[in-house]
Amino acid sequence: MPISTVAELEATCRTKGGIMPDELPPISTHRGGFPIAKVRTFLAVVEHLHFGRAAKATGMSQPALSNQIKSLEEALQVRLLVRSTRRVTLTPEGEHLAMRMRGIFDDMDNVLDEIAETALNKRNRIRFACIPSVSATVIPQSLKMFLNRHPTTMIDFSDEPSLAMEGRVIRGELDFGIGQMPSWSEELEFTPITKDFFLVVMRPDSPLARFDELSIDSLVNYPMISPSKGVKLRAQLEHQFSQRGLKYASSYGVTHPSTIGAMVEEGLGISIIPSSFIVLMTNTKSLHFVRIREKALFRYIGILKPSDKVLPPTAVDLCDIITAELRRSLSADYSRIVGHVL
């Protein structure tokens, strides 16, 4: 007859000499608290079927090993091993425990190995990016030098615009970036490396080419080829002009430095560029560069990283190499083009 109410359950238990749930003795919580080490010791005995050999394999004394097995059996309230003077055998309960725990411990060891391997890969992997105007001249040589020192380190590198790179650094997708000073600093830490001074680029037959240096005011009446709107460099130029009460009127907006160089070469206008752009202008022999009189017209190039994180030593070493190469490269390019050492 099915039992449908609590009252029927109570009556059935008492009639048949049973006990109610609230009359049961408390369940020992010791079972869930025995150390994993005791189970490992038990599995060592199962593997060797010999207490002496198991003790040697685990680096324990034989009495200590015996005590651990005894403690495990007491915790489980069951006999796991039968030990005689000649051999050790497993009880059915011991065989069941050994079979189940081998699989559990194998899975646990695999998980721990995977976590350790992931942590090692993170320590041996550097993820960074660099703005294109700098990466072409600095990153190849820097990476070659770094990998000679750290041949086992894995590198994830990409060149990308400043704003995209800043976002990836903030999201933790990159360990650091090499780029312009960011517009904000709450989530980013910026370490300046060098100043990237601006130059005016023109055709050699331009009326402006006869000057050793030019002021910003002298450029307003010439067609201007500039970076596209939305690019950080464009915003910086507009700001510099507006501070002087001038309007930055761009006739053309392009993205890549080589396009700027090609348009200037065709006589479509002049352009104000950072000196790091020079190497990306493939037709520099047919272009003329003049430095700008206003020394405040420059952009900082430096290292961006999350403000709440510390770079690992290998990443710091790579940053040091890039820093030295960037300073050398920009100074050499600038002095080669305009005959003036930074």
Side-chain angles (χ1 to χ4, degrees):
M1 179 178 176
I3 298 172
S4 58
T5 67
V6 174
E8 290 175 358
L9 172 62
E10 293 177 352
T12 301
C13 287
R14 291 195 173 95
T15 300
K16 296 186 177 182
I19 58 176
M20 293 303 300
D22 57 358
E23 297 170 353
L24 289 171
I27 298 173
S28 172
T29 58
H30 186 63
R31 180 179 298 177
F34 61 82
I36 290 176
K38 293 178 182 178
V39 181
R40 288 197 181 277
T41 302
F42 166 71
L43 292 178
V45 176
V46 173
E47 180 182 354
H48 295 280
L49 291 177
H50 191 280
F51 273 61
R53 288 193 292 270
K56 185 176 181 180
T58 56
M60 302 171 62
S61 67
Q62 191 166 326
L65 183 140
S66 298
N67 286 336
Q68 284 213 5
I69 298 298
K70 181 180 178 182
S71 176
L72 179 60
E73 290 178 327
E74 290 175 351
L76 296 175
Q77 299 179 13
V78 68
R79 188 84 176 269
L80 299 173
L81 300 168
V82 178
R83 181 183 181 187
S84 67
T85 55
R86 294 187 177 181
R87 62 176 184 169
V88 175
T89 58
L90 278 71
T91 65
E93 292 81 6
E95 290 179 355
H96 181 70
L97 179 65
M99 179 182 66
R100 296 296 299 273
M101 294 307 294
R102 278 198 191 102
I104 292 172
F105 273 72
D106 287 345
D107 289 343
M108 185 174 68
D109 288 340
N110 289 337
V111 170
L112 294 175
D113 289 343
E114 289 170 5
I115 292 173
E117 184 177 356
T118 300
L120 179 62
N121 287 339
K122 284 185 177 180
R123 289 194 297 270
N124 287 342
R125 183 185 298 274
I126 299 175
R127 306 162 303 161
F128 79 105
C130 181
I131 55 176
S133 58
V134 172
S135 64
T137 52
V138 173
I139 300 303
Q141 299 89 332
S142 299
L143 284 180
K144 182 179 180 181
M145 186 181 303
F146 175 81
L147 290 173
N148 283 337
R149 297 183 188 177
H150 308 276
T152 62
T153 301
M154 294 173 285
I155 299 292
D156 287 343
F157 168 73
S158 59
D159 56 358
E160 41 193 271
S162 290
L163 292 176
M165 179 176 60
E166 290 170 13
R168 294 190 65 199
V169 172
I170 290 172
R171 292 191 299 272
E173 298 172 9
L174 298 172
D175 298 313
F176 68 90
I178 305 296
Q180 294 178 241
M181 180 183 290
S183 303
W184 65 93
S185 59
E186 291 82 0
E187 298 171 289
L188 289 172
E189 178 183 309
F190 181 77
T191 303
I193 293 176
T194 188
K195 293 177 179 179
D196 191 8
F197 285 94
F198 284 73
L199 303 168
V200 184
V201 57
M202 65 200 72
R203 285 171 55 95
D205 57 0
S206 169
L208 298 173
R210 60 190 177 91
F211 296 100
D212 292 331
E213 62 179 19
L214 294 164
S215 66
I216 293 177
D217 298 36
S218 65
L219 307 177
V220 294
N221 294 323
Y222 290 85
M224 189 69 67
I225 302 165
S226 74
S228 303
K229 286 187 176 181
V231 176
K232 180 177 285 191
L233 184 58
R234 168 74 172 259
Q236 184 176 358
L237 289 171
E238 290 175 344
H239 176 70
Q240 289 290 338
F241 271 66
S242 66
Q243 278 192 324
R244 292 165 175 81
L246 305 172
K247 182 179 179 181
Y248 183 74
S250 174
S251 302
Y252 307 95
V254 297
T255 301
H256 201 276
S258 62
T259 307
I260 294 176
M263 296 184 76
V264 171
E265 186 184 21
E266 291 299 323
L268 297 174
I270 64 172
S271 186
I272 302 174
I273 62 167
S275 56
S276 58
F277 274 27
I278 294 172
V279 72
L280 301 179
M281 294 182 168
T282 55
N283 300 316
T284 52
K285 291 183 179 179
S286 57
L287 297 175
H288 186 76
F289 300 89
V290 178
R291 66 179 178 266
I292 294 178
R293 184 173 300 146
E294 289 85 355
K295 297 302 181 183
L297 194 55
F298 63 86
R299 62 174 184 171
Y300 276 114
I301 302 295
I303 301 166
L304 301 92
K305 75 172 192 66
S307 56
D308 60 344
K309 292 185 179 179
V310 177
L311 292 177
T314 50
V316 172
D317 191 30
L318 178 56
C319 287
D320 290 342
I321 293 173
I322 292 173
T323 295
E325 183 62 24
L326 179 57
R327 287 173 177 166
R328 184 204 63 76
S329 176
L330 279 185
S331 179
D333 287 342
Y334 189 93
S335 59
R336 174 174 58 85
I337 294 297
V338 301
H340 177 77
V341 179
L342 293 177

